[in-house]
Amino acid sequence: MSLPRFRPVAAGSPILAMARKAAEHRAAGHEVIDLTLGEPDFAPPDHVIAAAHEALDTRRMGYTPVNGIPPLRAAIREHFARERGLTFADDEIAVGCGAKQVIFNAFLASLEKGDEVVLPAPYWASYPDMVRACGAVPVVVPTALETGFRLDPDVLAAAITPKTRWVVINAPGNPSGAVYSASDLAALAEVIAGHPRILVLSDDIYAPIRFSDTPYASFAAVVPDLADRTLTIDGVSKAYAMTGWRVGWAGGPKDLVTAINAVQSQNATQTSSLSQIAAVAALTGPQDSLPVRAEIYRKRRDAALAVLAESPHLSTAAPDGAFYLFPRIAGRHGDETAMALLEATGVAVVPGSAFGGDDHLRLSFALDEASLVEGCRRIVDFLERA
Ligand code: PLP
């Protein structure tokens, strides 16, 4: 019997796989409207680029502390206090190569084989793969389109077992766009409070991209009693259109953050020193681009929803934040629909199965409104013909 050559700990990102298919289709000479990618179509603010140029001129780009340069940790603490109402000490901040790495580090630092992680579906495609890579088990719990894809406290209570280690709350959600009110979070906290082993991952990375004026409710701020069991995640990727710069962070209890930093020290050491300087500029500089961009996303959302609403084959909830639509397609599987759609119309979308919603598609509206509306129009026409 031959031994397997690799331990397949992760399946690889299905979102990137679909984006690659779209690129191949384009390389073969076809016109493509790409609605797959989860990255803003804006540039980082000018003062961020200026700070990076200035930093390069010093020619000093050595290793930094594992948890980032002190001005970055100071800027992150200030940002948490200003934007989320959360106070952290310096040793309660972890920094990594994107929020993705910090989340992965947190799971690696805390999960034992067989532990369970509760993931409300639809979920960001990376969570289950990360959990499995740590030898733990994703426990997927459903939410409903009709109730805005928010996790119901009774559903959460039924999913908890003695092995539950984490509950993941991602708001605004990717791909759902769901946002929780303070009272929604308090109701979930009531369930979690009775289970002292459970940690809460509050992934707030899309918080600045919201479409109502209601102040953002972050789990640890709403439920200070559980702050010592909550890891709050954020980063520059979505808010400041700095995806490739790879700076993300977490604020949480010191013992957990120390364990995360230990993992970080043995995989990437730190995130890029140049990117750290740019992130300081993003967090401490003018913030006026954020509401302007959120308003642009809102307009695009509304334009896309208006087209999709014409189709009797689609049900689409209006997302409260982030830049995705997650329509349900009546009587069809998302995988075959996404492939047929690309072939027939040149519109690339991600099948909902990547996020735990087989009969859905994910459409990103991080692209210009004209292309977005044209893409949605082609989807509607395609479903009418198919
Ligand atoms: N969390 C969610 C919900 C996301 O959608 C993403 C990126 O798509 C991330 C975290 C990771 O972002 P980054 O690693 O670029 O900071």
Side-chain angles (χ1 to χ4, degrees), residues 47-84:
H47 61 272
V48 169
I49 304 300
H53 275 295
E54 211 176 291
L56 269 183
D57 287 341
T58 68
R59 291 174 164 67
R60 285 203 305 270
M61 286 294 144
Y63 291 128
T64 74
V66 164
N67 56 352
I69 52 176
L72 177 57
R73 293 199 305 277
I76 289 169
R77 292 170 62 200
E78 217 290 297
H79 180 263
F80 267 133
R82 186 180 75 219
E83 303 294 335
R84 309 270 180 275

PDB file of all heavy atoms in Angstrom, residues 47-84:
ATOM      1  N   HIS A  47      -2.986  59.524   0.893  1.00  0.00           N
ATOM      2  CA  HIS A  47      -2.012  59.724   1.978  1.00  0.00           C
ATOM      3  C   HIS A  47      -1.352  58.406   2.389  1.00  0.00           C
ATOM      4  O   HIS A  47      -0.249  58.396   2.929  1.00  0.00           O
ATOM      5  CB  HIS A  47      -2.658  60.429   3.183  1.00  0.00           C
ATOM      6  CG  HIS A  47      -3.794  59.673   3.798  1.00  0.00           C
ATOM      7  ND1 HIS A  47      -5.088  59.795   3.367  1.00  0.00           N
ATOM      8  CD2 HIS A  47      -3.823  58.776   4.808  1.00  0.00           C
ATOM      9  CE1 HIS A  47      -5.872  59.015   4.085  1.00  0.00           C
ATOM     10  NE2 HIS A  47      -5.124  58.377   4.966  1.00  0.00           N
ATOM     11  N   VAL A  48      -2.007  57.283   2.108  1.00  0.00           N
ATOM     12  CA  VAL A  48      -1.406  55.974   2.412  1.00  0.00           C
ATOM     13  C   VAL A  48      -0.240  55.721   1.452  1.00  0.00           C
ATOM     14  O   VAL A  48       0.854  55.302   1.854  1.00  0.00           O
ATOM     15  CB  VAL A  48      -2.471  54.856   2.280  1.00  0.00           C
ATOM     16  CG1 VAL A  48      -1.823  53.484   2.324  1.00  0.00           C
ATOM     17  CG2 VAL A  48      -3.532  55.007   3.364  1.00  0.00           C
ATOM     18  N   ILE A  49      -0.477  56.011   0.184  1.00  0.00           N
ATOM     19  CA  ILE A  49       0.569  55.805  -0.826  1.00  0.00           C
ATOM     20  C   ILE A  49       1.747  56.742  -0.539  1.00  0.00           C
ATOM     21  O   ILE A  49       2.923  56.331  -0.603  1.00  0.00           O
ATOM     22  CB  ILE A  49      -0.003  56.073  -2.242  1.00  0.00           C
ATOM     23  CG1 ILE A  49      -1.224  55.179  -2.502  1.00  0.00           C
ATOM     24  CG2 ILE A  49       1.059  55.885  -3.311  1.00  0.00           C
ATOM     25  CD1 ILE A  49      -0.951  53.685  -2.434  1.00  0.00           C
ATOM     26  N   ALA A  50       1.433  57.989  -0.156  1.00  0.00           N
ATOM     27  CA  ALA A  50       2.503  58.953   0.145  1.00  0.00           C
ATOM     28  C   ALA A  50       3.341  58.462   1.325  1.00  0.00           C
ATOM     29  O   ALA A  50       4.582  58.530   1.292  1.00  0.00           O
ATOM     30  CB  ALA A  50       1.883  60.325   0.451  1.00  0.00           C
ATOM     31  N   ALA A  51       2.689  57.939   2.355  1.00  0.00           N
ATOM     32  CA  ALA A  51       3.422  57.443   3.533  1.00  0.00           C
ATOM     33  C   ALA A  51       4.317  56.263   3.153  1.00  0.00           C
ATOM     34  O   ALA A  51       5.444  56.135   3.652  1.00  0.00           O
ATOM     35  CB  ALA A  51       2.429  57.031   4.626  1.00  0.00           C
ATOM     36  N   ALA A  52       3.837  55.420   2.249  1.00  0.00           N
ATOM     37  CA  ALA A  52       4.640  54.269   1.830  1.00  0.00           C
ATOM     38  C   ALA A  52       5.875  54.723   1.044  1.00  0.00           C
ATOM     39  O   ALA A  52       6.983  54.224   1.256  1.00  0.00           O
ATOM     40  CB  ALA A  52       3.783  53.320   0.986  1.00  0.00           C
ATOM     41  N   HIS A  53       5.699  55.724   0.155  1.00  0.00           N
ATOM     42  CA  HIS A  53       6.839  56.261  -0.601  1.00  0.00           C
ATOM     43  C   HIS A  53       7.883  56.821   0.352  1.00  0.00           C
ATOM     44  O   HIS A  53       9.090  56.542   0.229  1.00  0.00           O
ATOM     45  CB  HIS A  53       6.375  57.387  -1.530  1.00  0.00           C
ATOM     46  CG  HIS A  53       5.852  56.889  -2.845  1.00  0.00           C
ATOM     47  ND1 HIS A  53       6.639  56.249  -3.765  1.00  0.00           N
ATOM     48  CD2 HIS A  53       4.622  56.943  -3.386  1.00  0.00           C
ATOM     49  CE1 HIS A  53       5.900  55.914  -4.817  1.00  0.00           C
ATOM     50  NE2 HIS A  53       4.671  56.323  -4.611  1.00  0.00           N
ATOM     51  N   GLU A  54       7.420  57.586   1.294  1.00  0.00           N
ATOM     52  CA  GLU A  54       8.325  58.232   2.260  1.00  0.00           C
ATOM     53  C   GLU A  54       9.096  57.174   3.055  1.00  0.00           C
ATOM     54  O   GLU A  54      10.294  57.283   3.269  1.00  0.00           O
ATOM     55  CB  GLU A  54       7.469  59.068   3.212  1.00  0.00           C
ATOM     56  CG  GLU A  54       8.143  60.312   3.757  1.00  0.00           C
ATOM     57  CD  GLU A  54       7.127  61.067   4.600  1.00  0.00           C
ATOM     58  OE1 GLU A  54       6.160  61.622   4.020  1.00  0.00           O
ATOM     59  OE2 GLU A  54       7.290  61.048   5.829  1.00  0.00           O
ATOM     60  N   ALA A  55       8.375  56.125   3.450  1.00  0.00           N
ATOM     61  CA  ALA A  55       9.012  55.067   4.247  1.00  0.00           C
ATOM     62  C   ALA A  55      10.078  54.351   3.430  1.00  0.00           C
ATOM     63  O   ALA A  55      11.163  54.045   3.931  1.00  0.00           O
ATOM     64  CB  ALA A  55       7.954  54.069   4.709  1.00  0.00           C
ATOM     65  N   LEU A  56       9.800  54.117   2.139  1.00  0.00           N
ATOM     66  CA  LEU A  56      10.768  53.425   1.283  1.00  0.00           C
ATOM     67  C   LEU A  56      12.075  54.203   1.195  1.00  0.00           C
ATOM     68  O   LEU A  56      13.161  53.627   1.167  1.00  0.00           O
ATOM     69  CB  LEU A  56      10.187  53.255  -0.123  1.00  0.00           C
ATOM     70  CG  LEU A  56       9.409  51.983  -0.398  1.00  0.00           C
ATOM     71  CD1 LEU A  56       8.973  51.955  -1.856  1.00  0.00           C
ATOM     72  CD2 LEU A  56      10.255  50.747  -0.094  1.00  0.00           C
ATOM     73  N   ASP A  57      11.953  55.539   1.156  1.00  0.00           N
ATOM     74  CA  ASP A  57      13.130  56.380   1.015  1.00  0.00           C
ATOM     75  C   ASP A  57      14.096  56.254   2.195  1.00  0.00           C
ATOM     76  O   ASP A  57      15.273  56.565   2.074  1.00  0.00           O
ATOM     77  CB  ASP A  57      12.714  57.853   0.829  1.00  0.00           C
ATOM     78  CG  ASP A  57      12.132  58.065  -0.566  1.00  0.00           C
ATOM     79  OD1 ASP A  57      12.393  57.219  -1.447  1.00  0.00           O
ATOM     80  OD2 ASP A  57      11.403  59.063  -0.754  1.00  0.00           O
ATOM     81  N   THR A  58      13.591  55.796   3.346  1.00  0.00           N
ATOM     82  CA  THR A  58      14.495  55.625   4.505  1.00  0.00           C
ATOM     83  C   THR A  58      15.397  54.411   4.314  1.00  0.00           C
ATOM     84  O   THR A  58      16.390  54.251   5.002  1.00  0.00           O
ATOM     85  CB  THR A  58      13.696  55.412   5.805  1.00  0.00           C
ATOM     86  OG1 THR A  58      13.049  54.128   5.724  1.00  0.00           O
ATOM     87  CG2 THR A  58      12.679  56.507   6.042  1.00  0.00           C
ATOM     88  N   ARG A  59      15.022  53.524   3.385  1.00  0.00           N
ATOM     89  CA  ARG A  59      15.778  52.292   3.100  1.00  0.00           C
ATOM     90  C   ARG A  59      15.935  51.397   4.327  1.00  0.00           C
ATOM     91  O   ARG A  59      16.826  50.572   4.404  1.00  0.00           O
ATOM     92  CB  ARG A  59      17.159  52.624   2.514  1.00  0.00           C
ATOM     93  CG  ARG A  59      17.043  53.211   1.124  1.00  0.00           C
ATOM     94  CD  ARG A  59      18.354  53.685   0.568  1.00  0.00           C
ATOM     95  NE  ARG A  59      18.261  53.878  -0.860  1.00  0.00           N
ATOM     96  CZ  ARG A  59      17.525  54.799  -1.477  1.00  0.00           C
ATOM     97  NH1 ARG A  59      16.777  55.627  -0.760  1.00  0.00           N
ATOM     98  NH2 ARG A  59      17.507  54.902  -2.788  1.00  0.00           N
ATOM     99  N   ARG A  60      15.073  51.576   5.308  1.00  0.00           N
ATOM    100  CA  ARG A  60      15.171  50.705   6.493  1.00  0.00           C
ATOM    101  C   ARG A  60      13.897  49.875   6.585  1.00  0.00           C
ATOM    102  O   ARG A  60      12.881  50.330   7.064  1.00  0.00           O
ATOM    103  CB  ARG A  60      15.331  51.561   7.762  1.00  0.00           C
ATOM    104  CG  ARG A  60      16.721  52.147   7.913  1.00  0.00           C
ATOM    105  CD  ARG A  60      17.012  52.480   9.358  1.00  0.00           C
ATOM    106  NE  ARG A  60      15.986  53.355   9.918  1.00  0.00           N
ATOM    107  CZ  ARG A  60      16.036  54.688   9.879  1.00  0.00           C
ATOM    108  NH1 ARG A  60      17.065  55.290   9.346  1.00  0.00           N
ATOM    109  NH2 ARG A  60      15.073  55.403  10.403  1.00  0.00           N
ATOM    110  N   MET A  61      13.956  48.661   6.072  1.00  0.00           N
ATOM    111  CA  MET A  61      12.769  47.803   6.061  1.00  0.00           C
ATOM    112  C   MET A  61      13.131  46.441   6.629  1.00  0.00           C
ATOM    113  O   MET A  61      13.018  45.416   5.973  1.00  0.00           O
ATOM    114  CB  MET A  61      12.229  47.651   4.635  1.00  0.00           C
ATOM    115  CG  MET A  61      11.529  48.863   4.107  1.00  0.00           C
ATOM    116  SD  MET A  61      10.016  49.191   5.011  1.00  0.00           S
ATOM    117  CE  MET A  61      10.044  50.974   5.003  1.00  0.00           C
ATOM    118  N   GLY A  62      13.613  46.420   7.857  1.00  0.00           N
ATOM    119  CA  GLY A  62      14.024  45.148   8.456  1.00  0.00           C
ATOM    120  C   GLY A  62      12.857  44.422   9.101  1.00  0.00           C
ATOM    121  O   GLY A  62      11.692  44.806   8.935  1.00  0.00           O
ATOM    122  N   TYR A  63      13.189  43.346   9.821  1.00  0.00           N
ATOM    123  CA  TYR A  63      12.166  42.671  10.618  1.00  0.00           C
ATOM    124  C   TYR A  63      11.596  43.658  11.620  1.00  0.00           C
ATOM    125  O   TYR A  63      12.282  44.572  12.082  1.00  0.00           O
ATOM    126  CB  TYR A  63      12.775  41.508  11.410  1.00  0.00           C
ATOM    127  CG  TYR A  63      13.232  40.321  10.594  1.00  0.00           C
ATOM    128  CD1 TYR A  63      14.528  39.823  10.745  1.00  0.00           C
ATOM    129  CD2 TYR A  63      12.364  39.654   9.730  1.00  0.00           C
ATOM    130  CE1 TYR A  63      14.959  38.713  10.032  1.00  0.00           C
ATOM    131  CE2 TYR A  63      12.795  38.542   9.017  1.00  0.00           C
ATOM    132  CZ  TYR A  63      14.084  38.074   9.169  1.00  0.00           C
ATOM    133  OH  TYR A  63      14.507  36.974   8.473  1.00  0.00           O
ATOM    134  N   THR A  64      10.363  43.418  11.993  1.00  0.00           N
ATOM    135  CA  THR A  64       9.734  44.216  13.053  1.00  0.00           C
ATOM    136  C   THR A  64       9.314  43.242  14.160  1.00  0.00           C
ATOM    137  O   THR A  64       9.402  42.026  13.975  1.00  0.00           O
ATOM    138  CB  THR A  64       8.482  44.948  12.548  1.00  0.00           C
ATOM    139  OG1 THR A  64       7.411  43.993  12.395  1.00  0.00           O
ATOM    140  CG2 THR A  64       8.717  45.662  11.226  1.00  0.00           C
ATOM    141  N   PRO A  65       8.808  43.749  15.280  1.00  0.00           N
ATOM    142  CA  PRO A  65       8.230  42.819  16.256  1.00  0.00           C
ATOM    143  C   PRO A  65       7.127  41.984  15.602  1.00  0.00           C
ATOM    144  O   PRO A  65       6.463  42.445  14.658  1.00  0.00           O
ATOM    145  CB  PRO A  65       7.642  43.743  17.328  1.00  0.00           C
ATOM    146  CG  PRO A  65       8.428  45.015  17.207  1.00  0.00           C
ATOM    147  CD  PRO A  65       8.795  45.144  15.759  1.00  0.00           C
ATOM    148  N   VAL A  66       6.942  40.767  16.113  1.00  0.00           N
ATOM    149  CA  VAL A  66       5.932  39.842  15.580  1.00  0.00           C
ATOM    150  C   VAL A  66       4.552  40.499  15.539  1.00  0.00           C
ATOM    151  O   VAL A  66       3.796  40.324  14.580  1.00  0.00           O
ATOM    152  CB  VAL A  66       5.910  38.577  16.469  1.00  0.00           C
ATOM    153  CG1 VAL A  66       4.651  37.752  16.231  1.00  0.00           C
ATOM    154  CG2 VAL A  66       7.158  37.748  16.232  1.00  0.00           C
ATOM    155  N   ASN A  67       4.231  41.249  16.577  1.00  0.00           N
ATOM    156  CA  ASN A  67       2.897  41.874  16.645  1.00  0.00           C
ATOM    157  C   ASN A  67       2.907  43.306  16.103  1.00  0.00           C
ATOM    158  O   ASN A  67       2.057  44.117  16.445  1.00  0.00           O
ATOM    159  CB  ASN A  67       2.347  41.839  18.073  1.00  0.00           C
ATOM    160  CG  ASN A  67       3.278  42.489  19.080  1.00  0.00           C
ATOM    161  OD1 ASN A  67       4.414  42.841  18.735  1.00  0.00           O
ATOM    162  ND2 ASN A  67       2.823  42.664  20.293  1.00  0.00           N
ATOM    163  N   GLY A  68       3.885  43.602  15.236  1.00  0.00           N
ATOM    164  CA  GLY A  68       3.873  44.889  14.537  1.00  0.00           C
ATOM    165  C   GLY A  68       4.679  45.974  15.240  1.00  0.00           C
ATOM    166  O   GLY A  68       5.025  45.858  16.413  1.00  0.00           O
ATOM    167  N   ILE A  69       4.951  47.043  14.474  1.00  0.00           N
ATOM    168  CA  ILE A  69       5.701  48.173  15.040  1.00  0.00           C
ATOM    169  C   ILE A  69       4.816  48.872  16.092  1.00  0.00           C
ATOM    170  O   ILE A  69       3.583  48.892  15.953  1.00  0.00           O
ATOM    171  CB  ILE A  69       6.131  49.176  13.935  1.00  0.00           C
ATOM    172  CG1 ILE A  69       4.937  49.602  13.067  1.00  0.00           C
ATOM    173  CG2 ILE A  69       7.222  48.570  13.062  1.00  0.00           C
ATOM    174  CD1 ILE A  69       5.250  50.661  12.023  1.00  0.00           C
ATOM    175  N   PRO A  70       5.439  49.430  17.128  1.00  0.00           N
ATOM    176  CA  PRO A  70       4.631  50.063  18.184  1.00  0.00           C
ATOM    177  C   PRO A  70       3.634  51.102  17.657  1.00  0.00           C
ATOM    178  O   PRO A  70       2.483  51.123  18.126  1.00  0.00           O
ATOM    179  CB  PRO A  70       5.681  50.667  19.125  1.00  0.00           C
ATOM    180  CG  PRO A  70       6.877  49.775  18.950  1.00  0.00           C
ATOM    181  CD  PRO A  70       6.874  49.361  17.500  1.00  0.00           C
ATOM    182  N   PRO A  71       3.996  51.953  16.658  1.00  0.00           N
ATOM    183  CA  PRO A  71       2.978  52.916  16.180  1.00  0.00           C
ATOM    184  C   PRO A  71       1.762  52.224  15.557  1.00  0.00           C
ATOM    185  O   PRO A  71       0.662  52.764  15.608  1.00  0.00           O
ATOM    186  CB  PRO A  71       3.727  53.736  15.114  1.00  0.00           C
ATOM    187  CG  PRO A  71       5.166  53.522  15.385  1.00  0.00           C
ATOM    188  CD  PRO A  71       5.306  52.170  16.014  1.00  0.00           C
ATOM    189  N   LEU A  72       1.949  51.036  14.982  1.00  0.00           N
ATOM    190  CA  LEU A  72       0.793  50.340  14.409  1.00  0.00           C
ATOM    191  C   LEU A  72      -0.113  49.826  15.530  1.00  0.00           C
ATOM    192  O   LEU A  72      -1.338  49.990  15.474  1.00  0.00           O
ATOM    193  CB  LEU A  72       1.247  49.176  13.510  1.00  0.00           C
ATOM    194  CG  LEU A  72       0.105  48.340  12.922  1.00  0.00           C
ATOM    195  CD1 LEU A  72      -0.871  49.209  12.116  1.00  0.00           C
ATOM    196  CD2 LEU A  72       0.637  47.216  12.039  1.00  0.00           C
ATOM    197  N   ARG A  73       0.496  49.231  16.558  1.00  0.00           N
ATOM    198  CA  ARG A  73      -0.355  48.747  17.661  1.00  0.00           C
ATOM    199  C   ARG A  73      -1.082  49.922  18.316  1.00  0.00           C
ATOM    200  O   ARG A  73      -2.252  49.814  18.694  1.00  0.00           O
ATOM    201  CB  ARG A  73       0.476  47.966  18.677  1.00  0.00           C
ATOM    202  CG  ARG A  73       1.014  46.652  18.113  1.00  0.00           C
ATOM    203  CD  ARG A  73       1.424  45.697  19.214  1.00  0.00           C
ATOM    204  NE  ARG A  73       2.382  46.272  20.143  1.00  0.00           N
ATOM    205  CZ  ARG A  73       3.700  46.324  19.934  1.00  0.00           C
ATOM    206  NH1 ARG A  73       4.229  45.844  18.821  1.00  0.00           N
ATOM    207  NH2 ARG A  73       4.503  46.865  20.837  1.00  0.00           N
ATOM    208  N   ALA A  74      -0.380  51.059  18.436  1.00  0.00           N
ATOM    209  CA  ALA A  74      -1.033  52.245  19.031  1.00  0.00           C
ATOM    210  C   ALA A  74      -2.199  52.695  18.160  1.00  0.00           C
ATOM    211  O   ALA A  74      -3.291  53.020  18.660  1.00  0.00           O
ATOM    212  CB  ALA A  74      -0.009  53.373  19.194  1.00  0.00           C
ATOM    213  N   ALA A  75      -1.990  52.689  16.827  1.00  0.00           N
ATOM    214  CA  ALA A  75      -3.056  53.124  15.906  1.00  0.00           C
ATOM    215  C   ALA A  75      -4.240  52.155  15.948  1.00  0.00           C
ATOM    216  O   ALA A  75      -5.403  52.567  15.883  1.00  0.00           O
ATOM    217  CB  ALA A  75      -2.499  53.227  14.478  1.00  0.00           C
ATOM    218  N   ILE A  76      -3.947  50.876  16.077  1.00  0.00           N
ATOM    219  CA  ILE A  76      -5.026  49.868  16.140  1.00  0.00           C
ATOM    220  C   ILE A  76      -5.835  50.051  17.429  1.00  0.00           C
ATOM    221  O   ILE A  76      -7.071  50.018  17.425  1.00  0.00           O
ATOM    222  CB  ILE A  76      -4.428  48.440  16.061  1.00  0.00           C
ATOM    223  CG1 ILE A  76      -3.892  48.177  14.645  1.00  0.00           C
ATOM    224  CG2 ILE A  76      -5.453  47.391  16.465  1.00  0.00           C
ATOM    225  CD1 ILE A  76      -3.058  46.914  14.505  1.00  0.00           C
ATOM    226  N   ARG A  77      -5.119  50.284  18.540  1.00  0.00           N
ATOM    227  CA  ARG A  77      -5.840  50.468  19.821  1.00  0.00           C
ATOM    228  C   ARG A  77      -6.722  51.706  19.756  1.00  0.00           C
ATOM    229  O   ARG A  77      -7.873  51.701  20.214  1.00  0.00           O
ATOM    230  CB  ARG A  77      -4.828  50.587  20.966  1.00  0.00           C
ATOM    231  CG  ARG A  77      -4.093  49.280  21.214  1.00  0.00           C
ATOM    232  CD  ARG A  77      -2.934  49.480  22.163  1.00  0.00           C
ATOM    233  NE  ARG A  77      -3.370  49.947  23.466  1.00  0.00           N
ATOM    234  CZ  ARG A  77      -2.588  50.551  24.349  1.00  0.00           C
ATOM    235  NH1 ARG A  77      -1.310  50.770  24.058  1.00  0.00           N
ATOM    236  NH2 ARG A  77      -3.054  50.931  25.504  1.00  0.00           N
ATOM    237  N   GLU A  78      -6.177  52.763  19.161  1.00  0.00           N
ATOM    238  CA  GLU A  78      -6.944  54.004  19.014  1.00  0.00           C
ATOM    239  C   GLU A  78      -8.175  53.763  18.130  1.00  0.00           C
ATOM    240  O   GLU A  78      -9.284  54.221  18.430  1.00  0.00           O
ATOM    241  CB  GLU A  78      -6.006  55.031  18.349  1.00  0.00           C
ATOM    242  CG  GLU A  78      -6.130  56.455  18.834  1.00  0.00           C
ATOM    243  CD  GLU A  78      -7.438  57.091  18.405  1.00  0.00           C
ATOM    244  OE1 GLU A  78      -7.673  57.233  17.178  1.00  0.00           O
ATOM    245  OE2 GLU A  78      -8.219  57.421  19.316  1.00  0.00           O
ATOM    246  N   HIS A  79      -7.972  52.998  17.065  1.00  0.00           N
ATOM    247  CA  HIS A  79      -9.065  52.692  16.129  1.00  0.00           C
ATOM    248  C   HIS A  79     -10.158  51.863  16.817  1.00  0.00           C
ATOM    249  O   HIS A  79     -11.353  52.132  16.677  1.00  0.00           O
ATOM    250  CB  HIS A  79      -8.487  51.946  14.924  1.00  0.00           C
ATOM    251  CG  HIS A  79      -9.498  51.579  13.882  1.00  0.00           C
ATOM    252  ND1 HIS A  79     -10.074  50.331  13.817  1.00  0.00           N
ATOM    253  CD2 HIS A  79     -10.052  52.297  12.875  1.00  0.00           C
ATOM    254  CE1 HIS A  79     -10.938  50.295  12.808  1.00  0.00           C
ATOM    255  NE2 HIS A  79     -10.940  51.471  12.215  1.00  0.00           N
ATOM    256  N   PHE A  80      -9.750  50.845  17.582  1.00  0.00           N
ATOM    257  CA  PHE A  80     -10.724  50.030  18.316  1.00  0.00           C
ATOM    258  C   PHE A  80     -11.545  50.915  19.267  1.00  0.00           C
ATOM    259  O   PHE A  80     -12.760  50.759  19.382  1.00  0.00           O
ATOM    260  CB  PHE A  80     -10.012  48.947  19.137  1.00  0.00           C
ATOM    261  CG  PHE A  80      -9.861  47.621  18.427  1.00  0.00           C
ATOM    262  CD1 PHE A  80      -8.643  46.950  18.426  1.00  0.00           C
ATOM    263  CD2 PHE A  80     -10.954  47.011  17.802  1.00  0.00           C
ATOM    264  CE1 PHE A  80      -8.498  45.714  17.803  1.00  0.00           C
ATOM    265  CE2 PHE A  80     -10.816  45.770  17.179  1.00  0.00           C
ATOM    266  CZ  PHE A  80      -9.593  45.127  17.182  1.00  0.00           C
ATOM    267  N   ALA A  81     -10.865  51.841  19.949  1.00  0.00           N
ATOM    268  CA  ALA A  81     -11.563  52.697  20.927  1.00  0.00           C
ATOM    269  C   ALA A  81     -12.528  53.642  20.208  1.00  0.00           C
ATOM    270  O   ALA A  81     -13.691  53.789  20.600  1.00  0.00           O
ATOM    271  CB  ALA A  81     -10.542  53.479  21.745  1.00  0.00           C
ATOM    272  N   ARG A  82     -12.030  54.239  19.112  1.00  0.00           N
ATOM    273  CA  ARG A  82     -12.805  55.254  18.386  1.00  0.00           C
ATOM    274  C   ARG A  82     -13.991  54.634  17.638  1.00  0.00           C
ATOM    275  O   ARG A  82     -15.107  55.132  17.698  1.00  0.00           O
ATOM    276  CB  ARG A  82     -11.844  55.917  17.394  1.00  0.00           C
ATOM    277  CG  ARG A  82     -12.388  57.106  16.622  1.00  0.00           C
ATOM    278  CD  ARG A  82     -11.316  57.660  15.677  1.00  0.00           C
ATOM    279  NE  ARG A  82     -11.126  56.815  14.502  1.00  0.00           N
ATOM    280  CZ  ARG A  82      -9.959  56.546  13.931  1.00  0.00           C
ATOM    281  NH1 ARG A  82      -8.834  57.041  14.425  1.00  0.00           N
ATOM    282  NH2 ARG A  82      -9.880  55.798  12.852  1.00  0.00           N
ATOM    283  N   GLU A  83     -13.753  53.532  16.949  1.00  0.00           N
ATOM    284  CA  GLU A  83     -14.762  52.983  16.039  1.00  0.00           C
ATOM    285  C   GLU A  83     -15.626  51.887  16.647  1.00  0.00           C
ATOM    286  O   GLU A  83     -16.716  51.616  16.163  1.00  0.00           O
ATOM    287  CB  GLU A  83     -14.085  52.421  14.771  1.00  0.00           C
ATOM    288  CG  GLU A  83     -13.231  53.419  14.021  1.00  0.00           C
ATOM    289  CD  GLU A  83     -14.050  54.559  13.406  1.00  0.00           C
ATOM    290  OE1 GLU A  83     -15.239  54.355  13.143  1.00  0.00           O
ATOM    291  OE2 GLU A  83     -13.480  55.653  13.229  1.00  0.00           O
ATOM    292  N   ARG A  84     -15.121  51.197  17.676  1.00  0.00           N
ATOM    293  CA  ARG A  84     -15.880  50.057  18.199  1.00  0.00           C
ATOM    294  C   ARG A  84     -16.197  50.179  19.684  1.00  0.00           C
ATOM    295  O   ARG A  84     -16.812  49.281  20.249  1.00  0.00           O
ATOM    296  CB  ARG A  84     -15.098  48.738  18.005  1.00  0.00           C
ATOM    297  CG  ARG A  84     -14.590  48.481  16.629  1.00  0.00           C
ATOM    298  CD  ARG A  84     -15.585  47.730  15.765  1.00  0.00           C
ATOM    299  NE  ARG A  84     -14.985  47.549  14.460  1.00  0.00           N
ATOM    300  CZ  ARG A  84     -15.036  48.468  13.489  1.00  0.00           C
ATOM    301  NH1 ARG A  84     -15.683  49.600  13.666  1.00  0.00           N
ATOM    302  NH2 ARG A  84     -14.447  48.259  12.334  1.00  0.00           N
TER     303      ARG A  84
END
